Amino acid sequence: MNERMHVRKAERIERSLGLLDVEAFEAVIEGAMLAGTHWFNVLLHRAGVAAENADAMHAEFLTAGIRRKVAVLMPGALAALDEIETLRTTHVRGDMPDGSAAARRALACLARLREEATKRSAA
Amino acid sequence: MKIETHIDKFHRLDAALGRLRPDADCELWIWTAMNACVNLLNAALHRARLTEETDSFHTQVEGLYACPDRAHGTLTDAVHPPGDVMHAGQPALGTPLPDAIANASVALALIENLREPYVRGSEAPAAGASAEWERAYRTCVDRLSETLNISISR
């Protein structure tokens, strides 16, 4: 998918996220993962790390070599997506405590991904 | 996870779904509907004793679980028999399903198959397509709530 479509998708999902509050923490974390992954793909395509026909599905599923490269090129974005993915295990597929706080963390990570993608767009 | 935990998660996800529109919010609607159904499916599979109520969380890797140390808030990876399933048929259970759970799984698979074109991909749903999605959701929830003998308020 090209950058423009990833941006459109991320913004649509973020608008939907605005309809939920953090008490709906499973849905909020999942939405942060979905929108965040679209922002992440914007960064990957723009950096030439992944072609538009080779979107990343999850940061965890990047090959070891690509992941090392991404860790150098965009460490903040990678860390943010990794944190969202971890929250999915603990609070969406898991029942660790403080779900609302986890949702707030996921939204903060999503904001970081959005900031990185739009900052690099403006540069 | 425990049956009660899955049902609790279902109720929270179902309530969130009620705030989303399948057309305007199709990406998050599809994902939330899927997660709501997967939680009911896990509860039903545990109740039918086809899977175990293990204190472990399915990871993104099929068949790989994260086991919590609740005293320390840490997780350890483990591979063990299910356990929670990640999606309909993932992991495969290798045993026939009761009719109600099998029917629910077919309906869930319809929702899961929407992910590639409409959530990860850029296809736009055809006008009126969401009516079929909502029917699949209702079918899945109805079959599984019957199996679990719980009432779902609509």
Side-chain angles (χ1 to χ4, degrees), chain A residues 1 5-6 9 12-13 15-17 19-21 23-27 30-31 33-34 38 55 57-58 60-61 85-86 88-97, chain B residues 1 5 9 12-13 16 19-20 23-28 31-32 35 55 57-61 66 68-70 73-75 84 86 116 118-123:
Chain A
M1 193 189 297
M5 284 305 304
H6 281 302
K9 279 284 188 184
R12 275 178 56 88
I13 296 165
R15 191 192 61 220
S16 300
L17 273 171
L19 300 171
L20 305 178
D21 50 43
E23 280 68 38
F25 57 87
E26 291 97 345
E30 292 292 81
M33 179 276 293
L34 294 173
H38 282 295
D55 288 342
M57 190 186 300
H58 297 294
E60 184 180 13
F61 292 171
E85 299 281 14
T86 299
R88 298 182 73 210
T89 299
T90 53
H91 291 84
V92 179
R93 297 195 181 107
D95 63 348
M96 297 300 265
Chain B
M1 291 188 293
T5 305
K9 281 183 175 287
R12 211 162 28 246
L13 287 157
R19 303 178 76 163
L20 303 170
D23 47 1
D25 306 299
C26 78
E27 295 89 353
L28 198 50
W31 218 267
T32 303
N35 278 324
D55 188 19
F57 317 145
H58 207 296
T59 68
Q60 291 181 146
V61 180
D69 176 338
R70 293 181 183 274
T74 57
L75 299 171
D84 291 346
M86 182 166 49
E116 284 309 312
Y118 305 126
V119 183
R120 296 189 177 113
S122 58
E123 286 185 39

Side-chain angles (χ1 to χ4, degrees), chain B residues 2-4 6-7 38-48 84 148:
Chain B
K2 299 289 184 189
I3 290 172
E4 291 70 24
H6 285 298
I7 293 173
V38 167
N39 273 288
L40 271 195
L41 175 63
N42 273 311
L45 290 171
H46 295 339
R47 179 69 56 80
D84 291 346
L148 290 161

